[in-house]
Amino acid sequence: MNLDRVTIPIEPRTVGGCLDLAVQFQRMHGRQILALTSILALPGLVFTHYLASVTESGLWWGFVIWFLLTPIVGSWIAVGAGHRVFGEQFTVGSSLRTYGPHAARLTVLLWWYRVASFVASVGIVTGFLVAARGGNLPEAILLEQLEGDRLRRR
């Protein structure tokens, strides 16, 4: 992280604590999450509907579209959460601005990890290792780009 002399306390959480925090985050930022999801979900739904109407394999195309779009939306939400952790506002614009300059590289990384996880999931042990070791690596790379401007000004 690009932070100077800033201490961010990290506390261990139970599974229940993580779920409580996730529900609380959803309640606080539901509109932003819905807006970020809609940016790719609505065109994806329209395109899937079109493919289903003109081909017999529309459902499979829907799976492919979902497979390709969900990691991008997940990264946008992770960036918004990262902004919130640093005391900044979680806005749709800030998430997209952070993702934008690195979009091509990160999208390829996200898809590569999605494919690697899918291929590795054939074996239980290998699937676990890929998910545990690198499942969130593209998001971590993206979060390292955050500046934490508000924390620096204190």
Side-chain angles (χ1 to χ4, degrees):
M1 304 278 173
N2 299 324
L3 302 174
D4 296 325
R5 295 180 303 245
V6 175
T7 302
I8 299 174
I10 299 174
E11 58 187 60
R13 296 190 190 275
T14 63
V15 173
C18 289
L19 290 174
D20 287 343
L21 190 61
V23 169
Q24 202 172 31
F25 185 80
Q26 171 63 31
R27 284 182 181 162
M28 289 177 62
H29 304 289
R31 287 185 180 145
Q32 293 90 335
I33 293 170
L34 181 62
L36 285 171
T37 304
S38 297
I39 290 171
L40 287 179
L42 293 177
L45 285 172
V46 169
F47 190 57
T48 300
H49 177 71
Y50 169 75
L51 289 174
S53 65
V54 297
T55 68
E56 292 183 15
S57 57
L59 178 63
W60 296 110
W61 281 112
F63 287 140
V64 169
I65 291 168
W66 173 82
F67 188 81
L68 295 175
L69 295 184
T70 54
I72 297 169
V73 174
S75 291
W76 291 348
I77 294 170
V79 168
H83 282 291
R84 193 68 191 123
V85 166
F86 291 128
E88 300 169 1
Q89 291 297 318
F90 174 10
T91 64
V92 173
S94 65
S95 292
L96 296 177
R97 276 191 302 278
T98 304
Y99 190 84
H102 314 285
R105 178 175 58 105
L106 288 168
T107 301
V108 169
L109 276 174
L110 288 166
W111 289 342
W112 185 84
Y113 273 108
R114 180 59 74 101
V115 170
S117 298
F118 179 73
V119 170
S121 68
V122 172
I124 294 172
V125 174
T126 55
F128 175 74
L129 290 175
V130 168
R133 292 284 184 175
N136 294 322
L137 187 60
E139 286 89 351
I141 292 169
L142 190 59
L143 289 172
E144 287 177 353
Q145 306 302 316
L146 297 178
E147 297 290 331
D149 290 333
R150 190 164 177 203
L151 290 177
R152 279 196 215 186
R153 287 180 273 191
R154 289 185 186 169

